[in-house]
Amino acid sequence: MSNTYWLNGKYIQKEEAYVSPLTHTLHYGLGAFEGVRSYISHDKKSVNIFRLKEHTERLFYSAKRMGIKVPYSQKEINDACKNIVNVQKVKNGYVRPLIWRGRE
């Protein structure tokens, strides 16, 4: 498995990932996430992400309910999920989009 992640609109390596210790979510558990399965197609030519559109809609709904403004569109999140699965060369796996409130 690759150590490449999508964080704040950029692809980074695991070692570059940083979350401030002042991040609101670390102290109060305020965030939204989804867990989405990815799997290889029957013809073994592509990877699909199960109901990605619906999962992302629910992710945005959860963030909105908690007053978290998402600086990306649903399409950008969906594209990032698809791209990271390809970058990491995942055939059968799990994608976890996560939105949290920062230190501001």
Side-chain angles (χ1 to χ4, degrees), residues 3-4 8 10 13 15-16 18 22 26-27 29 31 34 46-47 50-51 59 66 68 78 89 92 94-95 100-101 103:
N3 284 326
T4 304
N8 294 331
K10 299 177 193 160
Q13 295 303 302
E15 296 76 23
E16 298 172 72
Y18 174 82
L22 300 176
L26 291 177
H27 296 278
E34 283 292 322
S46 63
V47 174
F50 183 73
R51 295 192 172 194
L59 177 69
M66 290 185 282
I68 299 173
N78 289 340
K89 296 179 177 49
N92 294 300
Y94 193 69
V95 181
W100 68 87
R101 186 176 300 250
R103 64 181 179 214

Side-chain angles (χ1 to χ4, degrees), residues 25-42:
T25 298
L26 291 177
H27 296 278
Y28 302 106
L30 184 62
F33 71 91
E34 283 292 322
V36 191
R37 290 284 304 156
S38 65
Y39 57 93
I40 191 86
S41 64
H42 292 295

Side-chain angles (χ1 to χ4, degrees), residues 39-80:
Y39 57 93
I40 191 86
S41 64
H42 292 295
D43 63 7
K44 299 190 185 317
K45 293 183 180 180
S46 63
V47 174
N48 299 311
I49 301 177
F50 183 73
R51 295 192 172 194
L52 180 58
K53 181 180 180 285
E54 291 88 346
H55 281 282
T56 303
E57 287 171 356
R58 186 169 54 200
L59 177 69
F60 273 65
Y61 175 78
S62 296
K64 182 180 177 180
R65 295 282 298 168
M66 290 185 282
I68 299 173
K69 184 175 181 177
V70 182
Y72 302 98
S73 69
Q74 289 186 27
K75 181 183 181 325
E76 288 173 306
I77 297 297
N78 289 340
D79 288 347

Side-chain angles (χ1 to χ4, degrees), residues 77-90:
I77 297 297
N78 289 340
D79 288 347
C81 289
K82 292 173 190 173
N83 290 336
I84 203 67
V85 164
N86 289 324
V87 166
Q88 291 191 1
K89 296 179 177 49
V90 173

